[in-house]
Amino acid sequence: VIETISTSGPTGTADYAVSADGLLTYFIGTATTGQTTLAWIDRQGRTTVLPGQSTGAWGTGRLSPDGRYVANGISHPEGGRDIWIFDVERGTPTPVTFGEYNDFPVWTRDSKRIYFGATGDGKNGIYRAPIDGSGKAELVLATKAQPTAESVAPNETALLYTEAGEGQGVHIMVVDLVNGTAKGEGRRLHDTKALEVNPQFSPDGKW
């Protein structure tokens, strides 16, 4: 029916959908490698590829609040992932982490720092790092399972993340922050057996 469908989403999926009356929509990619290229698209559907980049396994990227950068986890050829910051104006990528597995970065409101989940030396946790290379990544919260950072409160006083429970699926967790460090342990946002994913703070931080 069609070829070159993107597979940059979750493992085992492809990026397409079919309507009830038979209309097929899809993202273009190289289905055999999952390699894609970052681009802007305007409201008229015009696409402009971002300058200075090579194709890669983009997919977990987040645009900074000021619109200048993309933070993205990129796989190593030998395994693992590191987070890179891509300057969309200059077209330059800069690595932020140098470890075993670092992924799913989320931005602070001022576009100066990111929070992300990481695993190294058999230990799991959420870390925070400046994007300009002025400091190393710092541990925010140690976790039992591999966490996924999801959203930072606008005033940076709390962080939402998801984590697999002991045989009970994935849960939305929240932890209070003081100067970028966890205040106490993370706690479930809801006490439910449902699969919970992708939480986001509202822009005003109230919801």
Side-chain angles (χ1 to χ4, degrees), residues 6-41:
S6 169
T7 58
S8 62
T11 302
T13 66
D15 303 319
Y16 72 94
V18 183
S19 70
D21 60 3
L23 179 66
L24 169 67
T25 61
Y26 64 97
F27 286 103
I28 297 174
T30 50
T32 56
T33 63
Q35 300 296 295
T36 54
T37 303
L38 289 177
W40 295 116
I41 184 167

Side-chain angles (χ1 to χ4, degrees), residues 26 31 33 58-59 84 116 118 130 146-147 177 179 181 183 192-193 197:
Y26 64 97
T33 63
W58 301 97
W84 290 66
F116 57 92
Q146 190 177 86
L177 301 175
N179 297 324
T181 302
K183 180 183 178 182
T192 174
K193 294 181 180 180
V197 294

Side-chain angles (χ1 to χ4, degrees), residues 82-144:
D82 269 319
I83 294 174
W84 290 66
I85 303 297
F86 183 80
D87 188 320
V88 301
E89 295 178 358
R90 298 180 180 178
T92 54
T94 303
V96 174
T97 66
F98 305 88
E100 296 180 22
Y101 179 87
N102 309 273
D103 205 0
F104 297 101
V106 293
W107 290 91
T108 56
R109 179 61 64 87
D110 59 9
S111 299
K112 294 181 178 180
R113 294 173 298 279
I114 54 171
Y115 287 80
F116 57 92
T119 298
D121 298 325
K123 298 179 181 179
N124 302 300
I126 292 175
Y127 289 76
R128 184 180 79 153
I131 68 165
D132 59 2
S134 60
K136 295 182 179 180
E138 299 176 333
L139 178 65
V140 175
L141 175 70
T143 59
K144 293 181 180 180

Side-chain angles (χ1 to χ4, degrees), residues 126 141-144 147-148 150-151 153 157-165 170-178 181-192 196 199 201 205:
I126 292 175
L141 175 70
T143 59
K144 293 181 180 180
T148 298
E150 301 280 3
S151 183
T157 58
L159 171 76
L160 290 171
Y161 65 99
T162 50
E163 183 182 11
V170 179
H171 301 287
I172 295 175
M173 309 290 288
V174 61
V175 64
D176 297 323
L177 301 175
V178 176
T181 302
K183 180 183 178 182
E185 297 294 324
R187 60 189 183 278
R188 287 189 190 181
L189 190 64
H190 306 109
D191 187 12
T192 174
E196 303 174 324
F201 279 111

